[in-house]
Amino acid sequence: MAALVASGELGLRNRYFAVRHGQAESNVQNIFVSNPAIGADAYGLTDLGMEQAKQAGEKLKTLLSPNCAEVVMISSCFKRAKHTAEIIHGLLGCAEPLKIDDSLNERDFGPYDLKDTSTIPFETWDDNVTDAVTNQHGIESVMNVLRRTSKLVKQLEDTYTNKNIILVSHGAPLQILLTTFTHIDPGQYTSVRHFDNAEIRELTDPNVLDTCTK
């Protein structure tokens, strides 16, 4: 299955960084919070999550200096992602205001929302490989996540040049988007190493710069 965006083929005009949100209350409770009607206003960062976001901001400040003002930051609408982005945005002193875009929202886990993450059977994950297109078991398909996230990258490419673009999102959407930059079949997205909380990775082709904030 072909990737929708390939940086080597397109010759990206901007530099992209993916950042997962800091530790959230949902992480501590080990539950899925994937419905924006719930997650936009609840299940925010823990104290540790806020500290992780600060550490990520400081790392990005060092990494991007002296061009911190040339940053465009876009976040998922979920509280845990927005708060992470707000902390990083403030530390970087970005010239442009923080943007919220639902394209970066968590993958919709449907009937598993607010349930323990261990409740999803292993065969459900295996179905990502055999059928990444269909919304199986009520869970948003891998390809739908890839379409919305890669479409955002295309829009950003059409809008900006020579910017440092930071995408603050969630583990699954970022893993899926990363397949685009590393030429991995989207259905195999779980083969991409999972993002830790507040981890930063530069989206490059074919290598990924891992500036993990642990």
Side-chain angles (χ1 to χ4, degrees):
M1 190 177 295
L4 300 185
V5 175
S7 58
E9 295 170 7
L10 295 181
L12 292 176
R13 295 160 56 182
N14 302 286
R15 192 178 181 190
Y16 290 87
F17 296 87
V19 182
R20 186 187 174 203
H21 60 79
Q23 185 192 68
E25 294 167 355
S26 54
N27 298 140
V28 174
Q29 296 177 38
N30 206 37
I31 60 173
F32 290 109
V33 178
S34 64
N35 184 343
I38 297 171
D41 298 308
Y43 297 97
L45 296 180
T46 63
D47 289 343
L48 175 58
M50 287 185 277
E51 180 59 32
Q52 289 172 333
K54 291 177 185 176
Q55 291 175 10
E58 292 295 345
K59 287 199 173 187
L60 282 165
K61 191 174 181 179
T62 299
L63 183 63
L64 301 179
S65 181
N67 299 312
C68 291
E70 296 299 314
V71 167
V72 177
M73 185 172 294
I74 305 99
S75 172
S76 152
C77 80
F78 282 69
K79 185 175 182 179
R80 57 192 186 267
K82 283 189 296 183
H83 195 182
T84 300
E86 287 166 354
I87 291 171
I88 295 173
H89 190 270
L91 285 168
L92 293 180
C94 304
E96 291 211 25
L98 172 65
K99 305 176 190 301
I100 304 299
D101 196 303
D102 292 350
S103 300
L104 295 175
N105 283 0
E106 177 64 282
R107 185 182 184 188
D108 185 354
F109 287 97
Y112 297 98
D113 204 56
L114 299 183
K115 294 183 179 179
D116 191 285
T117 55
S118 64
T119 59
I120 294 187
F122 284 115
E123 56 266 25
T124 302
W125 298 115
D126 291 341
D127 287 339
N128 290 322
V129 178
T130 58
D131 185 355
V133 177
T134 306
N135 290 8
Q136 299 187 64
H137 312 284
I139 299 173
E140 182 182 10
S141 73
V142 171
M143 286 306 297
N144 192 64
V145 177
L146 183 59
R147 286 189 193 96
R148 58 180 169 89
T149 54
S150 60
K151 181 179 179 181
L152 174 61
V153 172
K154 288 181 180 180
Q155 291 171 342
L156 292 168
E157 283 293 287
D158 289 340
T159 305
Y160 299 103
T161 302
N162 296 326
K163 294 287 188 180
N164 295 302
I165 297 180
I166 302 173
L167 308 175
V168 183
S169 184
H170 309 263
L174 291 178
Q175 281 179 286
I176 292 169
L177 177 61
L178 201 61
T179 64
T180 291
F181 290 83
T182 52
H183 306 293
I184 295 173
D185 188 295
Q188 301 283 349
Y189 84 92
T190 54
S191 68
V192 176
R193 185 175 61 77
H194 186 67
F195 276 77
D196 291 328
N197 288 121
E199 181 178 350
I200 306 161
R201 295 189 207 177
E202 184 172 0
L203 303 181
T204 60
D205 181 18
N207 298 313
V208 177
L209 173 63
D210 181 359
T211 53
C212 184
T213 61
K214 293 183 179 179

